[in-house]
Amino acid sequence: MPDHIYEKKDLVQRFDNILGQKLGKIDNVGMFEHVQDFNLQKGVAGAVIEQCVLGYPPDSKQEADLIIIDEEKQTKTELKTTGMVINEDHYVAKEPMSITAVGVYDLADQEFNSSHFWEKLEHMLIVYYHYASDHPVTPYEYRHFPVVGYEFHEFSDIEIETLRTDWEHVRALVQRVVSHHPGVHDAAWKNAVREEYIEVHGELRRLLSYIDLAPKFPPRFRLKKPTVSTMIAKHFGYDLEQLPGRYATISDIDIKCRELTSIYAGRTIREIAKEFDIDVFSKRGEDKKAIAEQIIISMFGGKSKKLNQIEEFQKFGIIAKSVVMTSTGGRTEDMKLFHVDFDEFTRTEVEAEDGSMRAIEFEDSELYSYFANHEFLCILFEEPAATFLERTNSVDYFIQNRNLADNRFFGFKRLTFSDEFIDTTVRRLWDDVRDKVMNKKLKDIIQRNADGTEKRIKADNSISSAPNFMKSSHNEVFLRGSGSDSALIHKTECVNGIRMLPQYVWIKGTSIVDELLKSEKI
C-alpha cells in the first residue's frame, strides 16, 4: 500500500495554487539547479510535482502512488504528469503516456481487475504541463514550462471495456509465447521467452485500440498519443463529435466498414458525394483532395470536416487515406504523410525513464512513432478503364479518364506497417537524413531534364534545384518538397544554409499497394 495519503480537497487547493506557474517557480528544493543529482523516477516534471507539490520522495513501487480520501472513501490513485504541445491552436499530447511494465514473464498469470495495468489506470490524478518549446530541450530547460491543468481522471464503462480488450490481447500473446517454453524458469528460459516475444509482438499493432507497447525490451504498457490527446480534448473542452453507434474497439470500426462496403461498393465518388450532399470540386473547379475523408465521415454518420474531430477516430489514432488503384491493380500516385521537423529529426539525446538524458535511437523518433502507432484507414477506389479512342495503322489508341469523381468505391482496408518495413525501409530514411544534415553532406542539386543534358528553368527564369534527400527512386519512404511552385519565394525551409520547399515524408505508391496486398480487405 502507498503511504502518501491526502484529502481530495487538500489536493484541489495545492494544484489550484500552481496553475499557470512554471515548473521552475514551483521548484522549492533546488531541483533544476542540481537536476543530475536527483533521483528522477518520472522525469523532471513528474519529480517536481511529487517532491515540491506533494512533498514526498520518489519511489519505484509498482502499486498506485496515492491514497485520496474523499467523504471518508479511500481511493488508490496513480499520479501522472504529462506534457502537451499546441497543434492547430489547441493542446495535444506530446507523447504516449507510460503506464507500467508489461511483465512478460508473469502477465499470463494475472487477471485484468487485479492487474498492475488496471491498478495504474482505474483512478488517476493527471497533471498537465505545456511543453512550450518547438524543439527538444534538456531537463534543466523544463523550468520554463507552465502547469496548465489537472484532473481526477476515471474512464467510462465503454473505455474500460476497450482497455480490458487491449490488455487481454497482450496477455493472450504472452500466454502463447510462454506456453512454447516449458521447463524451469531460469535465465535460459527467460531469454527464450524474450527472443520469441521480440519476434512476434508486432502482431499486436493491428489489434490494440487505446494502448501500445514501448518498443524496447522489457516493454511497457502505454496509452497511445492519440488516446491521450482525446483525454486532453475532453478535459480542456475541445469539441469532439461522437459518432452514432457503439465503437468499443477498433474491430467495431472494421464491422462498420464491412457494412458500408456492402451498401456503397461499385458506386462512383460522384454518386456517393451526391447522396451526402458533398461538393466533389473546390470553388476553383479542382478535385477536392480531402473528398475521401469527408466521404468516410459522412458514411459513419458524422458531420465534422476532419477525422481528428471525431472522438472515436481520434482515440484509435486512425488516419484516413484514399488509395486510387488502376483497373489493373496498380497505384496512381505516391502518398504524402507529414511535414518534417528537422530539429526533431536530428536531435541526439532523449529523456530516459529516470529523467536523465541518453543517446537517441530510431525507436525514439517521431518517424518511428508515426509508422508504428497509427492506423491508416484506406478507402479504396478504382479508376475507370481507359476508353478506346481510335485505331490507326493497326494500333489501338486509348484515352484515360482522370476525373476523380468517376473513380468507383471498392471497399476499405486498415493498414498497419510491419516491423520489417519499419525497421528497414523507414529506418533507412531516418539514417540518411541524419547523416546528410549532421555530417554536412546535404547539397542543393541542380535539376536537369530526363536526358540529363539541360538545366531545368522555372517560370521565373531561375534554375530548378532540390536538396539531395532520398527520392522515391532510392527508397520507398522518402522526402519531397511541397509548395504551390518551386520558386525561391516559396522555399521557406532552410537546412544547413540551403533554402528549400517545406519537406514532407512520402511513401511510394507501389509500396502502399504491396502493404495493402498483405492486409485482408475489411
Side-chain angles (χ1 to χ4, degrees):
M1 292 283 289
D3 55 6
H4 313 311
I5 303 174
Y6 301 86
E7 293 277 351
K8 185 174 182 179
K9 61 183 179 182
D10 174 41
L11 291 176
V12 169
Q13 183 177 14
R14 292 187 190 211
F15 286 104
D16 280 350
N17 287 340
I18 66 168
L19 287 180
Q21 291 189 26
K22 295 179 180 179
L23 292 170
K25 184 175 181 180
I26 297 168
D27 175 19
N28 56 22
V29 298
M31 185 168 295
F32 285 104
E33 295 304 319
H34 306 282
V35 68
Q36 297 303 328
D37 299 333
F38 280 86
N39 182 14
L40 305 179
Q41 293 288 340
K42 298 185 176 180
V44 66
V48 168
I49 299 302
E50 283 183 332
Q51 299 181 44
C52 304
V53 180
L54 297 177
Y56 67 82
D59 62 58
S60 56
K61 296 176 182 177
Q62 197 164 29
E63 62 262 27
D65 296 306
L66 314 174
I67 288 180
I68 298 179
I69 301 173
D70 185 24
E71 297 181 352
E72 299 184 354
K73 179 183 177 183
Q74 295 190 5
T75 304
K76 293 168 67 174
T77 302
E78 177 73 3
L79 175 67
K80 290 292 180 186
T81 305
T82 193
M84 305 180 298
V85 294
I86 292 179
N87 180 34
E88 297 180 358
D89 299 324
H90 61 268
Y91 290 125
V92 296
K94 175 181 175 289
E95 57 194 3
M97 182 184 289
S98 179
I99 303 302
T100 190
V102 172
V104 171
Y105 304 118
D106 58 12
L107 184 66
D109 299 323
Q110 296 181 31
E111 296 297 329
F112 177 77
N113 287 336
S114 57
S115 67
H116 300 308
F117 173 80
W118 180 236
E119 183 181 25
K120 294 282 191 177
L121 288 175
E122 187 174 9
H123 306 284
M124 291 191 290
L125 169 54
I126 306 176
V127 182
Y128 298 107
Y129 67 91
H130 177 202
Y131 190 93
S133 175
D134 58 3
H135 60 273
V137 302
T138 65
Y140 179 69
E141 294 173 285
Y142 274 61
R143 71 191 191 281
H144 300 304
F145 298 162
V147 172
V148 293
Y150 71 94
E151 65 167 314
F152 297 92
H153 185 90
E154 294 187 1
F155 290 99
S156 67
D157 289 344
I158 193 169
E159 290 170 335
I160 293 171
E161 181 182 336
T162 306
L163 291 165
R164 180 192 299 272
T165 301
D166 279 356
W167 182 86
E168 289 175 346
H169 281 312
V170 178
R171 184 183 62 170
L173 181 133
V174 169
Q175 282 179 325
R176 190 185 84 204
V177 171
V178 170
S179 70
H180 293 164
H181 304 278
V184 179
H185 293 186
D186 56 12
W189 177 85
K190 285 188 174 182
N191 188 58
V193 170
R194 173 184 180 276
E195 292 300 321
E196 183 175 348
Y197 169 83
I198 291 173
E199 182 180 344
V200 302
H201 80 280
E203 298 173 13
L204 292 168
R205 193 175 296 127
R206 186 173 176 82
L207 300 175
L208 301 179
S209 299
Y210 287 178
I211 69 172
D212 66 9
L213 305 181
K216 294 297 183 182
F217 195 95
R220 293 184 64 83
F221 286 112
R222 306 185 302 185
L223 292 178
K224 290 180 179 179
K225 187 157 68 169
T227 305
V228 181
S229 291
T230 305
M231 295 162 61
I232 290 169
K234 284 186 174 181
H235 175 69
F236 287 93
Y238 306 141
D239 291 332
L240 288 176
E241 181 182 0
Q242 288 190 321
L243 294 174
R246 188 172 184 277
Y247 300 96
T249 66
I250 203 163
S251 62
D252 293 329
I253 299 287
D254 292 347
I255 293 170
K256 182 65 175 180
C257 285
R258 287 193 287 271
E259 175 190 326
L260 295 173
T261 299
S262 68
I263 297 172
Y264 296 103
R267 299 193 195 180
T268 65
I269 288 179
R270 180 182 285 105
E271 292 167 342
I272 298 173
K274 182 178 180 180
E275 178 167 336
F276 292 112
D277 196 27
I278 299 172
D279 290 330
V280 176
F281 302 108
S282 68
K283 292 179 180 179
R284 294 190 299 177
E286 300 170 346
D287 291 337
K288 272 191 176 180
K289 295 297 184 183
I291 188 71
E293 187 172 18
Q294 292 179 31
I295 285 175
I296 289 176
I297 292 170
S298 296
M299 282 180 170
F300 274 84
K303 305 297 182 183
S304 300
K305 294 186 179 298
K306 294 184 177 182
L307 226 60
N308 62 10
Q309 296 170 342
I310 304 291
E311 180 175 329
E312 291 80 359
F313 289 119
Q314 168 80 330
K315 277 184 183 177
F316 297 145
I318 291 175
I319 298 172
K321 292 290 184 181
S322 60
V323 178
V324 182
M325 312 287 288
T326 67
S327 57
T328 57
R331 174 74 169 93
T332 57
E333 59 184 15
D334 300 329
M335 184 182 288
K336 181 180 177 181
L337 301 182
F338 65 93
H339 178 242
V340 174
D341 177 350
F342 284 99
D343 284 335
E344 192 283 328
F345 230 109
T346 56
R347 59 181 171 157
T348 58
E349 293 182 316
V350 291
E351 188 177 359
E353 287 284 342
D354 64 0
S356 63
M357 300 301 288
R358 62 170 176 81
I360 191 172
E361 299 181 52
F362 170 60
E363 289 79 7
D364 302 311
S365 69
E366 287 296 323
L367 185 65
Y368 173 89
S369 178
Y370 185 90
F371 281 89
N373 299 325
H374 282 101
E375 301 266 7
F376 285 0
L377 181 60
C378 295
I379 180 169
L380 308 178
F381 296 101
E382 184 178 272
E383 287 182 344
T387 304
F388 177 75
L389 184 63
E390 63 180 9
R391 184 177 179 83
T392 305
N393 298 327
S394 300
V395 177
D396 292 336
Y397 291 90
F398 294 84
I399 185 170
Q400 178 65 58
N401 187 344
R402 294 293 182 182
N403 194 326
L404 179 69
D406 291 326
N407 295 337
R408 292 189 179 277
F409 172 58
F410 180 71
F412 296 94
K413 279 197 175 186
R414 185 157 55 84
L415 178 60
T416 55
F417 293 95
S418 67
D419 285 344
E420 180 184 7
F421 182 84
I422 294 172
D423 199 44
T424 55
T425 305
V426 180
R427 182 191 291 270
R428 192 180 300 124
L429 176 65
W430 189 74
D431 288 337
D432 182 76
V433 172
R434 287 170 62 82
D435 178 51
K436 285 190 169 79
V437 175
M438 298 170 72
N439 295 318
K440 309 301 181 185
K441 298 178 182 178
L442 189 63
K443 299 178 181 179
D444 195 27
I445 304 298
I446 292 175
Q447 304 296 291
R448 297 182 178 274
N449 294 328
D451 60 6
T453 56
E454 297 290 337
K455 297 176 182 178
R456 294 184 197 169
I457 306 299
K458 295 180 293 188
D460 62 356
N461 291 321
S462 64
I463 298 173
S464 178
S465 65
N468 61 329
F469 291 123
M470 274 186 163
K471 302 296 189 289
S472 60
S473 57
H474 305 136
N475 197 46
E476 291 170 311
V477 179
F478 57 96
L479 296 193
R480 179 188 293 166
S482 183
S484 55
D485 61 57
S486 60
L488 190 60
I489 192 174
H490 297 297
K491 291 188 174 185
T492 56
E493 197 93 65
C494 186
V495 182
N496 289 7
I498 298 173
R499 291 182 63 179
M500 62 188 73
L501 295 172
Q503 297 293 303
Y504 287 79
V505 175
W506 294 68
I507 184 169
K508 202 170 181 177
T510 53
S511 182
I512 289 288
V513 171
D514 291 342
E515 291 294 312
L516 286 173
L517 289 175
K518 299 174 187 176
S519 304
E520 294 183 4
K521 186 179 176 183
I522 294 176

